[in-house]
Amino acid sequence: MASVASKLYSDDVSLLVLLLDTNPLFWDTTSTTFSQFLSHVLAFLNAVLGLNQLNTVVVIATGYSSCDYIYDSSNVSSESRGTGMPALFGSLLEKLEDFIAKDEELSSSKEEEDHVDRIASSLLSGSLSMALCYIQRVFRSGHLHPQPRILCLQGSPDGPEQYVAVMNSIFSAQRLMVPIDSCYIGTQNSAFLQQASYITGGVHHAPKQLDGLFQFLTTIFATDLHSRSFVQLPKPVGVDFRASCFCHKKTIDMGYVCSVCLSIFCEHHKKCSTCGSVFGQSKLDGANASSSTNDRKRKAPDS
């Protein structure tokens, strides 16, 4: 990473990749409307761009069934930056409306084909992968680049079926030394975002009230990576490290782990469904079988 660090503009120039949760299944259940939430986010993005003229902001919309780039400040001319926030984010709002409409159509068509009740989670794994691809492309551009970081604005619950893809993205960000900040605005906290911020050295915060969301965003997440060593930021109180099993995609507290590929299962299997390794009998199952045999012997009548 020495070659990457040598290409930085300066310590206070940032590349912020914002993952915006647009899942309609979540916003239909909250007291705060999506338009109110979006007004806080746009003001925050404008503040980030105003901190340094070299700062770059990229917005990725995270829907129920898809995700897509909806804004890139590097493609906006410097003249339009000084015209005010409505003109600056006009293209963002247009692309956001188109994305939400397409995502709803895709979601309805998938539900008709699958006929399976799925958790109302957004496609976090896909947006994280797109953010890392964009950052990797900046690293390989050969030009001076700002310090990248990812900010997840999430409200939808975690999707256990995305566990493997999300963890792969988290470890990729850790290897690239890209911190993942997370601001969870849902009712229940997110184990995925807690682990992402903890592993990559980012900041995780779950505000209890969304009325002052702009203040939370500016005071916590607008700080560049160099200035964070001088600022008192929220520290994680407790991180939920629970994993999801590979067989039923459910969050579990205790399970079985394949010693070859580290796949996790909630029940004992004779063969690993991921790598094909053959398992022996579990000691716990063997102990239960032996205890039941002993019980039957004790209950047998004397001859």
Side-chain angles (χ1 to χ4, degrees):
M1 294 300 296
S3 59
V4 173
S6 62
K7 296 179 181 179
L8 296 175
Y9 280 119
S10 62
D11 293 332
D12 59 344
V13 181
S14 301
L15 164 60
L16 176 65
V17 183
L18 179 72
L19 310 185
L20 186 66
D21 191 357
T22 63
N23 189 354
L25 299 179
F26 164 72
W27 289 109
D28 291 342
T29 59
T30 57
S31 58
T32 304
T33 62
F34 181 72
S35 59
Q36 294 174 344
F37 166 76
L38 190 61
S39 63
H40 292 284
V41 175
L42 294 181
F44 165 71
L45 295 178
N46 192 50
V48 172
L49 293 175
L51 289 175
N52 195 309
Q53 62 179 354
L54 297 177
N55 283 352
T56 305
V57 169
V58 178
V59 181
I60 300 176
T62 308
Y64 179 73
S65 300
S66 61
C67 50
D68 196 8
Y69 299 100
I70 60 173
Y71 182 74
D72 188 351
S73 63
S74 62
N75 298 331
V76 179
S77 61
S78 58
E79 291 81 5
S80 60
R81 280 197 177 191
T83 57
M85 194 166 62
L88 180 61
F89 297 113
S91 60
L92 185 151
L93 297 176
E94 292 179 1
K95 292 182 179 179
L96 181 60
E97 291 180 358
D98 295 338
F99 170 79
I100 293 176
K102 293 178 181 178
D103 185 65
E104 288 181 355
E105 293 179 0
L106 184 61
S107 301
S108 59
S109 61
K110 280 189 175 181
E111 289 178 355
E112 293 177 356
E113 293 176 0
D114 298 339
H115 299 286
V116 177
D117 292 335
R118 199 185 103 185
I119 299 176
S121 59
S122 55
L123 197 60
L124 177 62
S125 58
S127 57
L128 278 175
S129 301
M130 294 181 67
L132 292 173
C133 289
Y134 184 93
I135 293 173
Q136 187 69 277
R137 188 164 67 246
V138 172
F139 281 162
R140 296 181 179 180
S141 61
H143 304 289
L144 293 174
H145 59 77
Q147 286 189 337
R149 70 180 190 270
I150 300 174
L151 173 58
C152 301
L153 287 179
Q154 192 81 6
S156 304
D158 293 337
E161 71 279 356
Q162 304 181 50
Y163 174 76
V164 178
V166 170
M167 294 307 298
N168 287 338
S169 299
I170 292 174
F171 293 136
S172 298
Q174 182 189 32
R175 187 173 182 178
L176 291 174
M177 300 177 64
V178 176
I180 299 179
D181 299 330
S182 55
C183 180
Y184 190 73
I185 57 178
T187 55
Q188 298 178 352
N189 215 333
S190 170
F192 287 172
L193 296 184
Q194 288 184 32
Q195 295 182 39
S197 299
Y198 180 83
I199 294 173
T200 61
V203 180
H204 176 77
H205 186 65
K208 297 181 180 179
Q209 295 181 353
L210 297 183
D211 295 338
L213 181 61
F214 173 71
Q215 285 78 7
F216 285 113
L217 293 176
T218 52
T219 55
I220 298 176
F221 301 107
T223 311
D224 59 83
L225 300 183
H226 176 70
S227 303
R228 291 189 177 187
S229 57
F230 312 106
V231 180
Q232 189 77 21
L233 295 176
K235 296 182 180 180
V237 179
V239 181
D240 188 358
F241 287 107
R242 290 184 300 171
S244 299
C245 66
F246 286 32
C247 46
H248 300 93
K249 312 299 182 184
K250 296 181 179 179
T251 303
I252 57 176
D253 298 319
M254 183 179 298
Y256 300 88
V257 180
C258 175
S259 59
V260 178
C261 65
L262 302 181
S263 297
I264 304 170
F265 304 97
C266 61
E267 299 175 353
H268 182 263
H269 297 269
K270 296 181 179 180
K271 187 177 181 181
C272 178
S273 59
T274 304
C275 65
S277 301
V278 180
F279 300 144
Q281 187 179 13
S282 171
K283 292 183 179 180
L284 182 61
D285 294 341
N288 294 334
S290 61
S291 62
S292 61
T293 304
N294 293 334
D295 292 339
R296 286 196 298 269
K297 288 182 179 179
R298 291 172 186 173
K299 295 179 181 178
D302 297 335
S303 56

